[in-house]
Amino acid sequence: MVTVSFPDRSWLDDVGPVDGMTPVVWDPRTGPPGEAVDLYIAPYMTRPDGVAVVAEQPSVRLVQLLSAGFDNIVPVLPDGVALANAKGVHDAATAELALALVLASQRGFDEFAWAQAKGEWLPRQFRPGLADKRVLVLGYGSVGRAIAERLAPFEVTTTAVAARARAGDDLVDAVHGTDELLDLLPEHDIVISVLPGSDATAQMLGEEALSALADGSLVVNVGRGTALDTEAALRHAGRLRFALDVTDPEPLPEGHPLWSAPGVIISPHVGGVTEAFRPRAVTMLRRQIAAMVAGEQPINLVHAG
């Protein structure tokens, strides 16, 4: 039998019985359960201290996140504890939001919302739109691919960039490496960042990168806020446009100049927050538990411990 801890009773009820599983509830705000837990399921969007508690239960072999990001979790893992993320669970929802932010900015919905609040009918003007635009997806993993799939019907040209160059797929001819980024940026109208947070990606979209973009270009960030240099973005706001689901710092403090910068749309880190999340997460958890019961390699393993 494998003992699995759930963050609350609702997750246990939704996953239901799995052969070979003994379920318990472990809220990290309280002490660990009396049972020896093998698989710890962390609360959704937990902070590192919500995972560090597994040090109190030496039996834990695997921590399962309900989010895709894991960069801030690895440092708090005890030795010998593996980590799995929720790869695939949030792909569709995050891709939807990326496309929504692109369309909102390209078609002027931020201005329309502002005008509606004042009861003002704006005059017609030609706006950038999306058809025939050149879009660069920065961070071409599972979410990046989901974005490229949704861009395809909009008659755009899509360029994919990842940490290292590799062969393309059915959506892009090739995947470029980030070492080519500065050369690629001037050729694109829209940049969509899906970069994770790490030392390697920190402020990759900084002064040099933003300066390489043509006037009127759009930068969308649905990855991690630290990939975009906030001060550089403020210097280029007005010349460039920004649509950001993530920011640095986050949450963005009241009165921060990014709130009122020209041409900036901000959503409060809601990329994966749709009704698709729960059932997809439940399916993933059942697969993970079944793999652990069978003694198989965990799915979505990001840190072997």
Side-chain angles (χ1 to χ4, degrees):
M1 298 290 287
V2 170
T3 301
V4 180
S5 71
F6 293 83
D8 58 55
R9 182 76 201 189
S10 69
W11 280 104
L12 190 159
D13 292 342
D14 284 355
V15 170
V18 178
D19 289 342
M21 175 187 77
T22 299
V24 298
V25 172
W26 182 357
D27 182 337
R29 294 170 298 182
T30 64
E35 297 86 348
V37 172
D38 301 292
L39 168 59
Y40 172 81
I41 301 171
Y44 178 52
M45 295 296 287
T46 188
R47 296 179 181 275
D49 56 5
V51 170
V53 295
V54 300
E56 304 172 26
Q57 184 69 283
S59 59
V60 174
R61 293 181 280 148
L62 176 67
V63 170
Q64 174 66 63
L65 300 179
L66 295 173
S67 57
F70 60 89
D71 47 283
N72 61 338
I73 300 299
V74 173
V76 304
L77 287 174
D79 290 342
V81 177
L83 180 69
N85 73 344
K87 179 181 178 181
V89 169
H90 303 284
D91 292 7
T94 304
E96 287 174 0
L97 184 70
L99 196 60
L101 288 172
V102 168
L103 289 169
S105 185
Q106 293 292 94
R107 296 303 299 265
F109 275 84
D110 52 334
E111 295 181 36
F112 300 157
W114 173 82
Q116 182 177 347
K118 300 197 307 176
E120 180 181 344
W121 186 276
L122 293 179
R124 291 192 187 108
Q125 67 179 86
F126 283 93
R127 297 179 182 272
L130 190 48
D132 302 332
K133 297 303 179 187
R134 302 161 299 175
V135 183
L136 187 150
V137 178
L138 178 58
Y140 194 70
S142 61
V143 176
R145 178 179 163 81
I147 292 171
E149 287 178 325
R150 286 156 179 78
L151 284 170
F154 285 86
E155 302 174 29
V156 302
T157 300
T158 301
T159 300
V161 177
R164 289 171 295 278
R166 62 178 188 264
D169 53 25
D170 58 316
L171 294 171
V172 294
D173 294 333
V175 178
H176 300 265
T178 52
D179 57 331
E180 303 175 66
L181 181 61
L182 292 178
D183 293 329
L184 292 169
L185 288 173
E187 303 170 6
H188 291 82
D189 308 296
I190 300 168
V191 177
I192 303 175
S193 174
V194 203
L195 291 172
S198 69
D199 291 342
T201 63
Q203 299 191 354
M204 186 172 288
L205 292 172
E207 181 62 39
E208 189 175 11
L210 298 182
S211 295
L213 289 167
D215 291 357
S217 297
L218 170 64
V219 177
V220 177
N221 194 359
V222 293
R224 284 293 178 266
T226 52
L228 175 66
D229 181 341
T230 301
E231 293 304 315
L234 287 169
R235 287 192 293 272
H236 286 270
R239 186 185 77 82
L240 304 177
R241 291 169 297 123
F242 297 87
L244 311 174
D245 185 49
V246 290
T247 60
D248 181 24
E250 188 176 306
L252 197 64
E254 182 180 355
H256 192 283
L258 203 55
W259 285 117
S260 56
V264 177
I265 297 175
I266 297 172
S267 57
H269 201 155
V270 294
V273 189
T274 74
E275 293 177 354
F277 162 61
R278 192 85 174 196
R280 292 181 181 219
V282 165
T283 298
M284 177 202 67
L285 291 175
R286 290 185 62 86
R287 287 181 58 208
Q288 188 69 284
I289 294 165
M292 201 161 189
V293 168
E296 298 172 353
Q297 176 84 351
I299 63 171
N300 298 342
L301 192 67
V302 294
H303 176 73

